[in-house]
Amino acid sequence: MSQSAYARAGVDIHAGDAAVELMKAHVARTRRPEVLGDIGGFAGLFDASALASYRHPLLATSTDGVGTKVALAQALDIHNTIGWDLVGMLVDDLVVCGAEPLFLTDYIACGHVVPERIAAIVEGIADACVAAGCALVGGETAEHPGLMGADEYDMAGATTGVVEADELLGPARVRAGDVALAMASSGLHSNGYSLVRRVLLEDAGLPLDRHIPEFGRSLGLELLEPTHVYAGEIMALLKTVTVHAMSHITGGGLANNLVRVVPDGIRVTIDRASWRPGPVFDLVQSTGGVSRDDIEETLNMGVGMVALLPADQVDEAQRVLDGFGLKNWVCGRAESNEGAASVELTGEHPGS
């Protein structure tokens, strides 16, 4: 059989079809009752009549990718965890406003479709969607020969959620006396990898397979550690206690993300002494000679999520999070302050 003109141009339609078949079982695991149809249609369908039970539903949406962390997945030839990073970046931007994630779509662009690799990527996305209670209703895999290397890929996605209008979290709810409750990150998550790769891999020349005693595993596996998806824990928390605002700590670091949910007239003081960042943060800072200001403005420093809530809700909130095995601690407080909203980090981390 002669090769088609499209195949000669570098696009393998049959490989794409094979990838869809391999990923169907993964997608099926994410199905919610509101999802209509199966994978393979032109659009994902979600029965919006499910929103009729809401008094005043607000739809929330978020879109993101995983940045240069995909280069590590490619270098290590491990592809079934990077999907957690994508889902974490998407759904956890919804839950901070109180929205329940409903559905998600993904987009994978690659130089050459390898069905097993695409299926592994979708496996990770599906696993994370199950953890978040979010349906994967569709996506797209695009082959870009000539623009990307055969083993290169990039990925992005978009998600939609819903929240009652009078339950929307944000700066308007924050009050002086609120407590800042931190939730631990699983590591670097998906931000700051341009700095991390430059410092550790390019400048210092550290091999990905080097065993790092402080990590108890190789450098590569530590850097590939998937983003923790907080959506399940957060939705349970919001059903149990009163929360005023939440911040997803991503690119820009703790202070720059937390201040986005702090109103004018309020200052939140965060005490570094309340936690010790994991060894990966120490390695990046010491190896690269990175200043404290720079690293705190780039990496999450061990904090993936912060809730601002009334002091009398903290004990119950910690009980809920402890029940999920999610490490958490009181890291600071909100107080009245003249002028613009601000977040200040004080003190020193233990062992610094």
Side-chain angles (χ1 to χ4, degrees):
M1 181 181 296
S2 62
Q3 190 180 40
S4 71
Y6 209 9
R8 290 195 299 272
V11 177
D12 189 340
I13 294 175
H14 299 298
D17 292 340
V20 171
E21 288 301 316
L22 289 174
M23 69 177 72
K24 279 185 176 180
H26 299 308
V27 175
R29 292 187 289 111
T30 75
R31 192 178 184 91
R32 291 174 53 124
E34 304 93 339
V35 175
L36 304 176
D38 295 313
I39 187 173
F42 286 99
L45 299 174
F46 190 91
D47 186 356
S49 68
L51 306 184
S53 62
Y54 283 74
R55 301 182 306 278
H56 184 176
L58 301 180
L59 292 180
T61 185
S62 173
T63 185
D64 209 341
V66 298
T68 60
K69 189 172 183 176
V70 295
L72 292 169
Q74 293 158 24
L76 293 166
D77 197 24
I78 299 174
H79 310 285
N80 63 348
T81 63
I82 199 74
W84 281 86
D85 298 288
L86 179 64
V87 175
M89 292 300 98
L90 293 171
V91 301
D92 288 332
D93 276 356
L94 295 185
V95 296
V96 295
C97 70
E100 175 192 1
L102 298 175
F103 58 85
L104 181 150
T105 56
D106 63 64
Y107 175 81
I108 303 170
C110 59
H112 175 63
V113 170
V114 178
E116 295 77 12
R117 183 163 59 213
I118 299 299
I121 296 170
V122 174
E123 176 187 358
I125 295 173
D127 287 342
C129 282
V130 170
C134 178
L136 178 58
V137 298
E140 174 71 10
T141 301
E143 204 166 20
H144 292 168
L147 293 181
M148 305 177 77
D151 292 325
E152 293 179 345
Y153 62 82
D154 200 3
M155 57 198 302
T159 188
T160 298
V162 62
V163 59
E164 288 281 11
D166 60 3
E167 296 175 4
L168 183 69
L169 305 183
R173 293 177 176 262
V174 176
R175 299 288 183 268
D178 281 354
V179 171
L181 182 64
M183 296 164 229
S185 70
S186 55
L188 296 169
H189 284 183
S190 300
N191 304 106
Y193 274 81
S194 293
L195 171 66
V196 171
R197 290 169 57 245
R198 174 65 181 270
V199 165
L200 300 183
L201 307 184
E202 297 178 23
D203 293 348
L206 298 178
L208 290 174
D209 61 358
R210 174 173 291 182
H211 180 80
I212 307 294
E214 293 83 356
F215 301 161
R217 56 181 171 178
S218 71
L219 173 64
L221 290 180
E222 177 69 24
L223 298 184
L224 198 61
E225 177 66 31
T227 299
H228 185 84
V229 175
Y230 297 89
E233 294 102 323
I234 297 303
M235 295 313 299
L237 185 69
L238 297 180
K239 292 176 182 176
T240 308
V241 302
T242 298
V243 176
H244 288 159
M246 302 196 72
S247 178
H248 185 199
I249 311 305
T250 56
L254 176 52
N256 289 334
N257 280 285
L258 184 54
V259 77
R260 296 162 65 180
V261 297
V262 176
D264 289 344
I266 294 290
R267 175 177 62 207
V268 177
T269 302
I270 302 295
D271 184 6
R272 295 187 186 93
S274 64
W275 84 99
R276 182 172 184 173
V280 68
F281 302 99
D282 294 334
L283 181 68
V284 174
Q285 186 171 12
S286 61
T287 302
V290 183
S291 71
R292 183 167 73 180
D293 286 347
D294 280 349
I295 201 162
E296 288 184 340
E297 289 181 355
T298 306
L299 305 181
N300 66 57
M301 300 305 291
V303 180
M305 189 77 73
V306 176
L308 295 174
L309 68 170
D312 63 4
Q313 300 290 295
V314 172
D315 287 346
E316 182 64 11
Q318 292 196 284
R319 185 193 67 78
V320 172
L321 297 177
D322 288 344
F324 285 98
L326 178 57
K327 183 181 178 181
N328 63 90
W329 64 94
V330 171
C331 67
R333 294 186 179 272
E335 56 190 20
S336 297
N337 179 51
E338 295 293 332
S342 64
V343 173
E344 179 182 358
L345 272 66
T346 63
E348 302 291 338
H349 293 298
S352 297

